[in-house]
Amino acid sequence: MKLTHQHQDTLLAIAKHSALTGLEQSSCNGFETLESVLEQRLDQNLEKENDVLSLPAATFVTLHKFEQLRGCIGSLQAVRSLAEDVAHNAFNAAFRDPRFNPVKQTEFTDLNIEISVLTKPEPMSGSHSFELFLEQLQQNRDGLILTEGYKRATFLPSVWEQVANKEEFVRHLMNKAGITQWSEQIQCERYYSISFSQDWNEIKSI
C-alpha cells in the first residue's frame, strides 16, 4: 500500500479527531457516536484521490508524551478500512489501553501521534531452533508476532530502537506474551510497517 504525504496527513487528522471525539463522550463507551461522526467527516473530506484510505488495512496508533509511551493499541488483521482502523485504534490508545489511565484534556497538546500501517503477517519457519530462527529475523525491519496456544503478543518494527540485538528483541517479546521458553509449539509471523508521526499541535483538523 502506497501512502502519499496527503494520505499520511489525513490519517493523522483522523486520529486526532477520533481522540477529541472520545474526549467529548463522558463515559468513553462504545463507538456509536465516534463512527457516526467519522463517517460524516470522511464523506465530507475524503476525495477520490484518497480512496486508498477505504482499503482494508491493519494499523497501530501509538501515543507518546514527552517521548514516553502514553498508549498503544492496534490491529494485526485487516478487518476495517484504513481510515476506520486508525480512528478506532486512536480512540482505544487514548482511552482504553489497560496499562494507562485515560488521556486527560490537559494532556493532548503534549502528545505525539504515531501511526503504523502493517503489511499482512507472513508465517516464519525454523521455530524448532532458536538460533536458526534468529538468523531469519531481519533486525530493524521485521515486526514480529509470537503465538503459543492462547498466548500472543507482537512488537512493531519501531521496538528495535529500544533493544541491543535480535535475541533481546525476541526474549522481551516472549516475556510480553507470557511464553517462558522457546519451543516448536511457538508460531512465528513477521510483517513490515509504514510509520509516520507528528506532534498534536502540528496535526491539521478534518
Side-chain angles (χ1 to χ4, degrees):
M1 180 179 291
K2 184 177 180 180
L3 296 176
T4 65
H5 289 301
Q6 180 184 350
H7 292 143
Q8 294 178 20
D9 288 345
T10 301
L11 289 170
L12 287 164
I14 289 171
K16 180 177 181 178
H17 179 76
S18 178
L20 287 172
T21 301
L23 186 65
E24 294 167 2
Q25 301 176 43
S26 58
S27 61
C28 292
N29 262 344
F31 288 108
E32 249 182 67
T33 303
L34 176 64
E35 289 180 336
S36 175
V37 173
L38 174 62
E39 184 177 350
Q40 294 175 15
R41 293 288 185 175
L42 293 183
D43 288 344
Q44 293 168 6
N45 293 280
L46 299 187
E47 305 295 335
K48 288 184 179 180
E49 62 265 28
N50 282 336
D51 60 0
V52 66
L53 303 186
S54 299
L55 297 176
T59 70
F60 270 73
V61 176
T62 305
L63 305 178
H64 286 97
K65 179 181 177 183
F66 304 135
E67 300 185 356
Q68 298 297 313
L69 184 64
R70 186 61 180 85
C72 181
I73 296 289
S75 312
L76 292 174
Q77 302 295 331
V79 296
R80 290 181 287 260
S81 73
L82 174 54
E84 291 171 334
D85 204 58
V86 165
H88 277 72
N89 290 332
F91 178 96
N92 283 334
F95 304 108
R96 291 183 169 175
D97 188 326
R99 298 168 294 180
F100 302 96
N101 292 324
V103 175
K104 298 178 181 178
Q105 184 174 5
T106 54
E107 297 181 85
F108 276 112
T109 55
D110 297 323
L111 295 179
N112 175 280
I113 299 178
E114 180 179 3
I115 296 173
S116 299
V117 183
L118 279 52
T119 61
K120 184 178 180 179
E122 302 174 350
M124 297 176 66
S125 59
S127 61
H128 59 282
S129 166
F130 186 66
E131 289 71 24
L132 289 177
F133 174 74
L134 290 182
E135 288 181 10
Q136 295 182 60
L137 198 59
Q138 300 178 80
Q139 189 166 348
N140 298 319
R141 184 181 179 188
D142 287 349
L144 183 61
I145 305 168
L146 296 182
T147 306
E148 184 184 54
Y150 64 88
K151 300 175 182 177
R152 195 178 201 219
T154 187
F155 272 163
L156 294 170
S158 59
V159 175
W160 285 108
E161 300 171 7
Q162 305 169 33
V163 299
N165 51 51
K166 294 181 181 181
E167 181 172 355
E168 186 175 329
F169 183 88
V170 178
R171 295 293 185 191
H172 282 324
L173 182 54
M174 289 173 62
N175 184 62
K176 179 182 178 183
I179 299 173
T180 56
Q181 62 182 7
W182 191 261
S183 75
E184 295 183 19
Q185 306 306 314
I186 298 175
Q187 298 177 24
C188 312
E189 299 170 278
R190 79 164 118 218
Y191 58 86
Y192 312 118
S193 71
I194 302 168
S195 297
F196 46 95
S197 64
Q198 198 163 27
D199 289 340
W200 180 272
N201 294 324
E202 297 175 358
I203 299 173
K204 67 181 183 180
S205 300
I206 60 172

